[in-house]
Amino acid sequence: MEHALHTHEHPQSFWSKYIFSTDHKTIGLQYIIMGLIMASVGGFLAYVFRMNLAFPGEYIPFFGNLNPQEYNTLVTNHGMIMVLWVAMPILLSGLGNLLIPIMIGADDMAFPTLNMLSFWVFFISSIVILSSFFVPSGGFAGGWTLYPPLSAGAYHNTRPEFWSAFFSGASLMIIAVALEIIAMLMGGINFLVTAINKRAPGLSAFKLPIIVWFLCIASLDFMFSVAPLVAGAIMLLFDNILGTGFYDPARGGDPILFQHLFWFFGHPEVYVILMPALGVVAEIITVFSRKTLFAYKFIVNATVLAAILSVVVWAHHQFVAGIDPRMATFFSIGTIIISIPFAGIFLSYMATLWGGSIRFTTPMLWALGFIGLFLIGGLTGLFLGSNTFDIYAHDTYFIIAHFHYTLFPIVFFGFFASFYYWFPKFLGKNLNETLGKLHFALTFIFFNGTFFLLFFNGLAGQHRRIYNYSLFSNVMQEPYRTFEKIATISAVCLILSQFIFLINLIITLRKKEKAVDNPWNAATLEWQTSSPPPHGNFPEPISVNYGPYEYSNPQFTTDFVPQNQKI
């Protein structure tokens, strides 16, 4: 196997080293930084419409007064940005770029230039989605699922003026989504080819760190499921700018078709972003419980099964769309079955922790927080898998609470766990543990304060996407009105808590003290090189002799065995 090492860094300009770099580590950091910038945008949008929900019609600090059209725009773009411009770049592209080459003993990605191109296409997509706020018609306001006819101008005009339709909020959002998908596809191809072809000698498939499996399966799941959405988005764009009628019932089209195309991608997308987070948690709990990962091969097989099932249960998002009740039963059963492999994975994690020598470091707290919160999201999803309950709860705040208990732990608890864990490796400095634990505690408390009570608002019949609930006296009775205010105050505190992370980051980057190469005594390959890793990752060729989780093995005199330790 070719293992081209580049241990001698060539002189590079600022532009080639930090902007148009082909180094996988720099590109990974670029994805994460861009994802965090977009997270701040999405978080600000959430702050504005949450304030309006608790105090409708009142002045909102740092924004002003919010009108109904702006409310719809903010809700729509918050959803789209958080899923495609925060979760995807941070968890899949960011972590995939940072971790895959160095964890398999490679010097870089298989296609470094394609990797760089992937980020810059993603960057352009970010500019396009943000620019949609400033076009004359304003940002798109028809819901992040882009359902027609709302996303096609309600088909009031079947002969649109091309340029004005092209530069509308809906069209720009569709174009931005298409560019984002192209970027992620380029990254996914790179991940798979790299993991297959560039592994160090001796690194067999079942000696791979489990997160590499998760990232590769997530990439495959994404590539398999995204094509229908691309086709559907192109048809929707044509409806907007060329006046076609793919989804216009008056001209023989079918708006339900777009729902199918969207959710064929939209449902697996949850697992695409879940899998990297599951990988992060697995890496962390093994290190900080000093135990090998329980049922490694079962976890791999269960993940493959879940990925397959994820693309055949999409229509449980459409129980109210008038689908055949017999098919609703099929999708209902399939949705509930998909919980079985994930239950097995979580039980494997419990077994890994069981009897371990657990250290409650900051990364470990975030990982355990992820497990606890995601279980609530997963269990409430079981109820929604039943079409009888889903029809009652559809579009209520129960859904809001459920998917935030699903996505927030994935995106933020998964990300912060990885950030606190791998920061010493890639930045070469140790974050402050006290500030890290305070950041975790406040985020955990205020996240629950924001979303837990909304389960009850949803069960009481409070629908989402309503600008001013005071117009509906039946849903503004106590205690639900108070619950809304508690949710909003907690959301503000949740956002403010993130400044602790920012302060910790600034303090750490300014201090001169360097981190040791392997502060956690971890066994995987990335910890067996210097911090931060040099260009090419390893100073000399390495080979692998052990599995990734050799901890507390009585056959050895040391507490852990690095994967590349000589026999």
Side-chain angles (χ1 to χ4, degrees):
M1 179 184 296
E2 183 182 356
H3 189 95
L5 294 173
H6 305 281
T7 57
H8 302 292
E9 294 193 43
H10 303 290
Q12 291 180 296
S13 67
F14 172 84
W15 291 94
S16 62
K17 188 172 184 179
Y18 297 108
I19 307 299
F20 298 107
S21 173
T22 56
D23 188 302
H24 71 97
K25 298 182 289 294
T26 303
I27 294 171
L29 289 174
Q30 286 175 325
Y31 266 116
I32 289 174
I33 292 169
M34 196 66 208
L36 290 176
I37 292 171
M38 295 301 285
S40 65
V41 174
F44 180 73
L45 302 183
Y47 154 76
V48 174
F49 65 72
R50 260 265 130 238
M51 287 291 289
N52 187 73
L53 288 170
F55 311 103
E58 296 185 17
Y59 178 82
I60 300 169
F62 306 109
F63 183 82
N65 293 101
L66 184 71
N67 64 45
Q69 180 67 17
E70 290 172 336
Y71 171 84
N72 288 333
T73 301
L74 267 52
V75 170
T76 297
N77 283 273
H78 167 76
M80 188 63 88
I81 286 173
M82 284 304 197
V83 173
L84 293 185
W85 277 272
V86 178
M88 287 292 284
I90 288 179
L91 292 173
L92 190 59
S93 300
L95 293 182
N97 267 294
L98 278 176
L99 298 176
I100 288 178
I102 197 168
M103 292 186 93
I104 65 171
D107 59 330
D108 206 328
M109 285 289 181
F111 309 118
T113 305
L114 182 68
N115 206 23
M116 177 191 70
L117 187 61
S118 163
F119 171 74
W120 285 105
V121 172
F122 171 76
F123 179 82
I124 293 170
S125 77
S126 306
I127 300 300
V128 173
I129 187 75
L130 292 176
S131 67
S132 71
F133 286 96
F134 303 102
V135 295
S137 59
F140 178 54
W144 80 277
T145 50
L146 289 168
Y147 282 178
L150 290 176
S151 56
Y155 293 110
H156 289 314
N157 181 8
T158 57
R159 293 185 178 180
E161 199 280 318
F162 180 84
W163 289 113
S164 62
F166 185 86
F167 288 105
S168 67
S171 295
L172 289 177
M173 178 174 279
I174 295 168
I175 293 167
V177 168
L179 289 171
E180 198 271 355
I181 288 172
I182 291 169
M184 296 299 137
L185 283 173
M186 288 191 281
I189 292 168
N190 234 336
F191 294 169
L192 292 170
V193 176
T194 302
I196 292 171
N197 291 305
K198 298 199 69 171
R199 299 195 306 274
L203 188 58
S204 61
F206 290 112
K207 284 184 181 175
L208 282 171
I210 198 80
I211 192 172
V212 178
W213 273 105
F214 276 116
L215 287 165
C216 289
I217 296 170
S219 300
L220 272 173
D221 205 11
F222 177 79
M223 286 191 277
F224 184 79
S225 62
V226 77
L229 176 60
V230 174
I234 290 172
M235 291 192 291
L236 185 58
L237 186 64
F238 284 177
D239 278 11
N240 267 287
I241 64 176
L242 300 178
T244 56
F246 290 108
Y247 307 116
D248 183 3
R251 289 179 284 165
D254 185 358
I256 303 298
L257 170 63
F258 183 82
Q259 295 187 23
H260 284 288
L261 298 175
F262 179 89
W263 286 115
F264 187 82
F265 160 78
H267 187 73
E269 171 67 7
V270 176
Y271 304 102
V272 169
I273 59 175
L274 167 63
M275 290 174 192
L278 286 174
V280 168
V281 172
E283 298 298 331
I284 290 173
I285 63 173
T286 51
V287 170
F288 296 113
S289 63
R290 313 311 291 170
K291 286 184 65 181
T292 190
L293 183 63
F294 185 85
Y296 176 108
K297 290 184 180 178
F298 167 80
I299 292 174
V300 173
N301 292 326
T303 307
V304 172
L305 176 62
I308 294 170
L309 289 173
S310 73
V311 295
V312 296
V313 298
W314 76 91
H316 72 238
H317 294 273
Q318 301 169 244
F319 286 145
V320 298
I323 64 174
D324 189 313
R326 291 163 297 184
M327 290 307 296
T329 302
F330 166 79
F331 285 111
S332 185
I333 293 172
T335 302
I336 294 170
I337 287 176
I338 205 172
S339 64
I340 295 174
F342 286 113
I345 293 171
F346 273 83
L347 287 173
S348 298
Y349 288 4
M350 299 295 113
T352 302
L353 292 167
W354 185 266
S357 180
I358 294 176
R359 288 188 283 168
F360 290 101
T361 60
T362 302
M364 186 65 161
L365 290 176
W366 285 101
L368 295 176
F370 165 88
I371 293 174
L373 294 177
F374 185 81
L375 283 177
I376 297 175
L379 290 173
T380 50
L382 282 178
F383 294 104
L384 294 168
S386 164
N387 56 347
T388 49
F389 180 77
D390 182 87
I391 289 171
Y392 171 76
H394 187 84
D395 256 349
T396 69
Y397 266 78
F398 189 92
I399 304 292
I400 298 284
H402 157 69
F403 72 66
H404 278 88
Y405 265 93
T406 305
L407 295 185
F408 196 95
I410 291 173
V411 178
F412 291 102
F413 280 72
F415 165 67
F416 283 127
S418 68
F419 191 90
Y420 282 100
Y421 180 62
W422 277 293
F423 186 90
K425 172 51 57 185
F426 291 104
L427 277 298
K429 295 184 179 182
N430 291 314
L431 287 159
N432 183 291
E433 276 283 290
T434 303
L435 287 175
K437 289 175 179 176
L438 180 63
H439 177 211
F440 163 76
L442 294 180
T443 302
F444 187 86
I445 292 168
F446 291 125
F447 165 74
N448 283 289
T450 304
F451 293 106
F452 190 77
L453 293 175
L454 296 183
F455 280 120
F456 301 100
N457 283 38
L459 290 173
Q462 190 174 23
H463 266 235
R464 58 176 171 165
R465 295 175 179 144
I466 293 178
Y467 164 69
N468 187 347
Y469 285 97
S470 62
L471 302 175
F472 302 87
S473 58
N474 59 319
V475 295
M476 284 306 283
Q477 298 171 359
E478 291 296 350
Y480 307 113
R481 188 186 185 95
T482 300
F483 287 175
E484 280 286 359
K485 291 181 178 177
I486 292 173
T488 295
I489 293 169
S490 297
V492 173
C493 294
L494 179 63
I495 293 171
L496 293 176
S497 302
Q498 306 318 304
F499 284 97
I500 297 172
F501 166 71
L502 195 60
I503 292 169
N504 194 357
L505 189 60
I506 293 171
I507 291 174
T508 302
L509 291 176
R510 287 174 62 86
K511 69 181 181 183
K512 296 181 179 178
E513 182 186 353
K514 302 291 184 183
V516 298
D517 292 343
N518 191 359
W520 313 121
N521 291 333
T524 44
L525 291 177
E526 78 274 23
W527 298 104
Q528 315 315 320
T529 186
S530 58
S531 299
H535 187 64
N537 293 335
F538 299 95
E540 57 186 28
I542 60 170
S543 59
V544 172
N545 298 306
Y546 295 96
Y549 309 114
E550 289 287 354
Y551 298 110
S552 307
N553 188 334
Q555 296 179 354
F556 301 97
T557 56
T558 55
D559 176 50
F560 73 103
V561 182
Q563 279 194 280
N564 61 333
Q565 179 170 294
K566 291 183 170 54
I567 296 176

